[in-house]
Amino acid sequence: MRRVLVFFVAMTGLMFLSQSCSISLNGASIPAGLKTINVEFFENNAPLVVSNLSQDFTEALKARIRSQSSLSIVRDPAANATMSGAIVNYTITPVSVEATNPNTPPIANASRLSITVNVKYTNEIEKKYNFEQQFTKYQDFQGDISSQEQTLIQNIVRQLVDDIFNKAFANW
């Protein structure tokens, strides 16, 4: 009985202690004076254009900043930081070729969807964090692109947003 009571008191103490502590696991290191960011619309300037890619990418980047930082997203050129850029490449290329019979040409067994985004980040508080860089991510797939394209785009956009967020706010 005494063990149960000691265990209960210890667990209760840990619960109270854990409520007063907070740990941040997102890795963001945002300068103290940085309060606002202007995320401009990323136009799709790629030779092959997917109609919803610009909107999806821009909104995913804003959502990541909202959920993983304390920054306020504003539409003001006088914001403490600005993120702008464009989608500059969207390609589908074969990555492996399957040999067929000798009378027909080989066909692609797997293909790769690649998206490249040019990003310019300007931090008015800490200028050493400014950058202009291209980010490229890809995903391989098999079969027809039309049935998989939106899922592939979502996965690639998530990876791109992760890399951009880490470069801007986690100093990776």
Side-chain angles (χ1 to χ4, degrees):
M1 180 72 166
R2 187 169 190 186
R3 272 190 203 177
V4 174
L5 182 60
V6 169
F7 178 76
F8 179 73
V9 170
M11 291 306 289
T12 305
L14 283 174
M15 286 182 358
F16 285 121
L17 181 62
S18 68
Q19 287 183 354
S20 65
C21 299
S22 67
I23 298 173
S24 173
L25 298 177
N26 65 12
S29 58
I30 298 171
L34 190 62
K35 302 290 184 208
T36 59
I37 185 167
N38 179 16
V39 179
E40 296 180 0
F41 185 73
F42 282 73
E43 289 190 34
N44 192 343
N45 296 333
L48 183 60
V49 175
V50 175
S51 62
N52 62 329
L53 182 56
S54 291
Q55 184 71 29
D56 290 349
F57 177 80
T58 304
E59 290 306 315
L61 185 57
K62 287 179 179 180
R64 177 69 188 266
I65 292 169
R66 274 189 210 103
S67 69
Q68 298 292 311
S69 75
S70 60
L71 296 174
S72 296
I73 297 176
V74 297
R75 296 185 63 147
D76 184 0
N80 299 132
T82 302
M83 198 169 288
S84 60
I87 298 164
V88 295
N89 203 7
Y90 181 97
T91 57
I92 301 168
T93 55
V95 290
S96 70
V97 178
E98 182 178 282
T100 57
N101 65 40
N103 297 333
T104 59
I107 58 171
N109 185 33
S111 298
R112 175 172 290 166
L113 174 60
S114 300
I115 301 175
T116 302
V117 181
N118 189 38
V119 178
K120 182 177 182 181
Y121 175 68
T122 307
N123 184 329
E124 298 298 333
I125 305 300
E126 293 281 341
K127 301 233 185 250
K128 67 181 179 181
Y129 296 124
N130 293 355
F131 66 86
E132 186 165 358
Q133 180 179 333
Q134 282 194 346
F135 295 86
T136 301
K137 288 295 177 187
Y138 64 87
Q139 192 162 11
D140 295 342
F141 65 95
Q142 292 182 328
D144 184 34
I145 183 73
S146 60
S147 63
Q148 309 172 61
E149 189 171 27
Q150 290 306 312
T151 303
L152 292 167
I153 289 172
Q154 287 175 355
N155 293 337
I156 295 169
V157 164
R158 184 173 33 261
Q159 293 171 13
L160 286 166
V161 166
D162 286 348
D163 284 357
I164 294 165
F165 182 87
N166 288 338
K167 174 71 175 175
F169 304 117
N171 305 321
W172 287 12

